[in-house]
Amino acid sequence: MAAGSASASSCGGTGCGSHCSSSSSAAAEDATAERLGRLSVSRECGKCGGGVGLCGECFRAHLFGKFKLAVTSNAMVRPTDSVLLAFSGGPASRVALQFIHEMRSKAIESWDASNSQALPVFGVGVAFVDESVLCSKPKQEIDMAIEDIKSIVSSLSVGIKAMHITPLEDVFSMASKDGEGRLREVVDMIDDDTGREDFLRCLRMLSLQKIALENGYAKIMLGSCASAIACHVLSATVKGQGYSLPADVQYVDTRWEIPVVVPLRDCLARELSLLCELDSLKTQQHLDRPSNGINSLVASFVERLWEENPSREHTIVRTAQKLKPFSFNKFSADGYHDFLPSRLRPKFQNVDNDESTFSGILCLICGSPFNESELRNLESTKHKAQKKTDLYTAHCCQSCRFQILPSGGNLYEHFFSLLPQFWTGRVDIVSASHSLPRDQIAEYLLEDNDDS
């Protein structure tokens, strides 16, 4: 994909907007593209100027079209929904914030112009999970970075329901000091760098679920893009997570108490970074933690693939999409799709038998669905387990047992005692019923864990 600014002569001064009518704007975009490498500018827009590539305005419209199509064609957001956007401060989540804000603004305009005003307009909130407790940067720098995060969101204050900044340690306990201590201790018990990073990702999802449940959100929107998903596909393959991989590469994931949607799945990271540059969308990545272990190696490999051929990331994602999804990778509630136009309803109403069988058992830590081998091990353990630690271990997938659990089995009891009660507290119910009712999930997630 080439993007850039076409001159006024190439497009006749129409269709491209301000990006292609100013020589200074063109020079700025040239400089931007030079920094971003092969995603270079095109002097003549193939869409509005008869050339090749795309100008700035058409490039933006192209990405927004992908985002909007993903949202509408997969029924990600209903008019009655309140959506929580997970915001990290990076280009992907920044673009997601901008696009969902624009979709809501246009929906409000349509609602105001409607005579009936029958359907409401969805709400949007923003969540930032503060992991600075594990950051070695000076407190002043951390505070400034968080203020930047707030200012980015406040610049779109119209239509934003609320901004939630939640310390990661809150998933352990409402008492922040106790939660901070438990977080540090349990992270230090994980020997593997990759396992430590994956564990923090799981805690991040738990934190988002907690925020969404406590504040009445119906969906969680992630800024995961094609590049990030391509990295995950390769990492999961290396880690032996092939069975659960289809669950992680779909537009929709309802295995959680609050469903998760991924509208940027078809956009590349470089495209999103370029858009932030072109539209002067402020980002803040000062608090980002560098990848380690397998994840770091895979990210470097995918970067080299992109330099050889920018389409490789899309190819990896499309290949993974050929795997059978799980039943929780779509919305299936009765009446859920009633608000959709009639032309889209058959897509969701037709029964799809091309799905992987789901047992209802998810990994205690990462939420991956269990394969047959893990299910057999769980059943065997349930009949002979003499203590809860054995059950906790059996409720972890093979990947988590290998990369996250401590290397010494004698440390398991202490390790599990440090985990959030939402994870360990549900084992009794899961082992008894083979499934955890959603109301029970909410109960554990919202429970005050001060005494745990």
Side-chain angles (χ1 to χ4, degrees), residues 212-420:
L213 282 165
E214 290 178 341
N215 295 278
Y217 291 97
K219 308 279 173 56
I220 295 175
M221 181 174 289
L222 302 183
S224 302
C225 64
S227 304
I229 294 174
C231 289
H232 176 73
V233 169
L234 298 182
S235 294
T237 303
V238 172
K239 298 170 190 174
Q241 298 170 340
Y243 177 78
S244 62
L245 177 59
D248 302 328
V249 298
Q250 311 300 325
Y251 289 108
V252 174
D253 187 348
T254 68
R255 81 183 99 168
W256 316 106
E257 171 66 17
I258 304 298
V260 174
V261 296
V262 185
L264 289 177
R265 193 191 72 172
D266 299 321
C267 301
L268 297 174
R270 298 253 184 155
E271 292 177 326
L272 301 173
S273 295
L274 177 56
L275 182 61
C276 288
E277 292 274 1
L278 295 178
D279 282 6
S280 299
L281 299 179
K282 184 178 180 181
T283 59
Q284 172 53 259
Q285 298 173 270
H286 189 68
L287 299 180
D288 285 0
R289 296 169 56 86
S291 294
N292 294 296
I294 293 174
N295 298 331
S296 177
L297 293 174
V298 168
S300 299
F301 175 70
V302 171
E303 178 73 14
R304 289 196 297 272
L305 286 180
W306 188 93
E307 292 173 354
E308 294 175 3
N309 186 343
S311 67
R312 293 282 176 82
E313 291 168 319
H314 280 310
T315 301
I316 293 171
V317 175
R318 284 195 297 267
T319 301
Q321 289 168 1
K322 294 179 181 179
L323 299 172
K324 289 184 179 180
F326 290 87
S327 58
F328 54 71
N329 286 130
K330 65 179 181 180
F331 296 113
S332 57
D334 292 339
Y336 179 88
H337 305 103
D338 290 348
F339 74 94
L340 287 174
S342 57
R343 62 184 174 81
L344 288 179
R345 291 179 191 173
K347 172 182 177 181
F348 301 96
Q349 292 171 342
N350 293 336
V351 177
D352 185 5
N353 295 320
D354 190 28
E355 297 173 350
S356 293
T357 303
F358 176 47
S359 66
I361 301 296
L362 299 174
C363 174
L364 182 150
I365 296 176
C366 71
S368 295
F370 269 25
N371 59 32
E372 292 185 6
S373 173
E374 291 163 339
L375 286 172
R376 288 196 298 269
N377 177 67
L378 176 60
E379 285 299 316
S380 174
T381 303
K382 285 169 60 177
H383 292 298
K384 64 182 181 182
Q386 298 181 352
K387 52 186 178 180
K388 281 189 175 181
T389 301
D390 297 331
L391 285 176
Y392 295 156
T393 304
H395 274 89
C396 294
C397 68
Q398 293 175 356
S399 179
C400 286
R401 290 203 298 269
F402 179 72
Q403 292 189 119
I404 294 179
L405 297 191
S407 55
N410 58 320
L411 300 175
Y412 282 8
E413 184 173 357
H414 183 57
F415 178 83
F416 284 117
S417 72
L418 295 172
L419 295 183

Side-chain angles (χ1 to χ4, degrees), residues 44-103:
E44 295 185 355
C45 180
K47 185 174 183 181
C48 62
V52 294
L54 294 176
C55 68
E57 282 294 307
C58 292
F59 175 65
R60 187 187 194 285
H62 173 70
L63 290 184
F64 181 75
K66 283 185 176 182
F67 179 91
K68 185 177 180 180
L69 180 64
V71 171
T72 55
S73 64
N74 293 281
M76 290 185 182
V77 181
R78 295 183 297 178
T80 55
D81 283 343
S82 187
V83 181
L84 181 67
L85 175 75
F87 186 62
S88 67
S93 63
R94 180 64 184 90
V95 172
L97 173 63
Q98 187 71 25
F99 283 174
I100 195 64
H101 171 72
E102 291 180 16
M103 281 191 66

Side-chain angles (χ1 to χ4, degrees), residues 154-169:
S154 64
S155 68
L156 301 174
S157 58
V158 177
I160 300 299
K161 176 182 176 181
M163 172 67 184
H164 310 275
I165 298 181
T166 302
L168 181 63
E169 59 267 26

